[in-house]
Amino acid sequence: MKKFLGHLRMYVFRGLLAMIPIALSVLAVRFIYFFIDKKIINLVSKYIGYSIPGLGILLLLVVLYVIGLLASIAIGKQLFGLIEKITARIPLIRTIYQIGQQVSFSLSLPEKQLFERVVLVDFHGIWAIGFVTGAFKENKTGRQLLRVFFPNVPNPTTGFVTVVDPAKTRDPKWTVEEGIRVVVSGGIIGPDMVD
């Protein structure tokens, strides 16, 4: 009976974990539709006399496009830097903002392609997850060395870079996205196997 309850508890918990991303996606779509699209449709219909379905979502996309453009230019970067400094001083907002930064960083990786691959680096018997950012040759010996970035947990946008001998690395056969998921989740989410 104890074994059955343990088995039941484990799979109920796994089912809950599997449902979290789906539930968050459904909530996001409901929020966009009910709170943005419907309100804008009601507002526009008051002025023009009829409603245009989807106008709220279209306006949201236009606003996101403008914010993306703004974030890409110097003035926008300064503005977002100021917002980050302000949020860093407010305890609860700081935590929420940092979580948002982590999610944003994870989602932007395929676009930026910052890292070549994931490696495990041996630090005296302890394997650390690192991301190869490049390689170069040593002048005297001609051997190749790797530049490896080790992100901090829970904020992977910061970390440190080391020069590593490839002989001290191991290829886990993970994609960069899988490696980032392991780091961002603190090791909770990620591949089950290492080569």
Side-chain angles (χ1 to χ4, degrees):
M1 186 67 175
K2 225 178 192 182
K3 220 175 190 182
F4 173 73
L5 289 175
H7 175 82
L8 186 67
R9 187 180 328 123
M10 180 177 72
Y11 283 102
V12 167
F13 183 68
R14 284 185 182 176
L16 175 67
L17 291 178
M19 288 302 296
I20 288 173
I22 296 167
L24 288 176
S25 300
V26 168
L27 286 173
V29 170
R30 286 179 57 90
F31 173 78
I32 289 170
Y33 180 72
F34 287 110
F35 291 104
I36 296 173
D37 196 50
K38 284 214 176 226
K39 287 189 180 199
I40 291 175
I41 286 173
N42 291 339
L43 187 66
V44 169
S45 65
K46 284 181 188 176
Y47 292 105
I48 62 173
Y50 58 93
S51 65
I52 304 169
L55 181 65
I57 294 171
L58 181 64
L59 286 175
L60 175 66
L61 291 174
V62 169
V63 167
L64 290 175
Y65 174 77
V66 170
I67 291 172
L69 280 176
L70 183 67
S72 301
I73 61 175
I75 295 170
K77 288 178 182 177
Q78 289 175 350
L79 177 66
F80 283 105
L82 178 65
I83 291 170
E84 188 172 339
K85 284 180 185 175
I86 292 169
T87 58
R89 295 180 181 176
I90 307 168
L92 180 61
I93 302 296
R94 176 180 57 221
T95 304
I96 295 167
Y97 189 81
Q98 286 174 346
I99 291 169
Q101 272 186 319
Q102 291 170 11
V103 170
S104 176
F105 178 75
S106 299
L107 292 174
S108 69
L109 275 177
E111 178 190 310
K112 292 179 183 175
Q113 294 187 354
L114 298 171
F115 309 128
E116 293 177 7
R117 65 183 191 276
V118 181
V119 290
L120 298 177
V121 180
D122 183 10
F123 286 110
H124 307 291
I126 297 172
W127 293 91
I129 298 171
F131 299 89
V132 176
T133 59
F136 55 90
K137 284 190 177 179
E138 192 175 27
N139 248 353
K140 291 180 183 176
T141 63
R143 71 180 175 152
Q144 184 177 350
L145 297 170
L146 301 175
R147 284 190 304 270
V148 180
F149 174 72
F150 295 94
N152 289 333
V153 176
N155 185 4
T157 58
T158 62
F160 62 95
V161 176
T162 61
V163 177
V164 178
D165 182 350
K168 293 193 176 196
T169 67
R170 181 176 172 184
D171 184 2
K173 300 287 192 244
W174 298 346
T175 65
V176 171
E177 290 80 13
E178 288 172 328
I180 287 294
R181 271 190 233 121
V182 172
V183 171
V184 170
S185 70
I188 297 170
I189 300 170
D192 294 331
M193 301 291 284
V194 174
D195 273 359

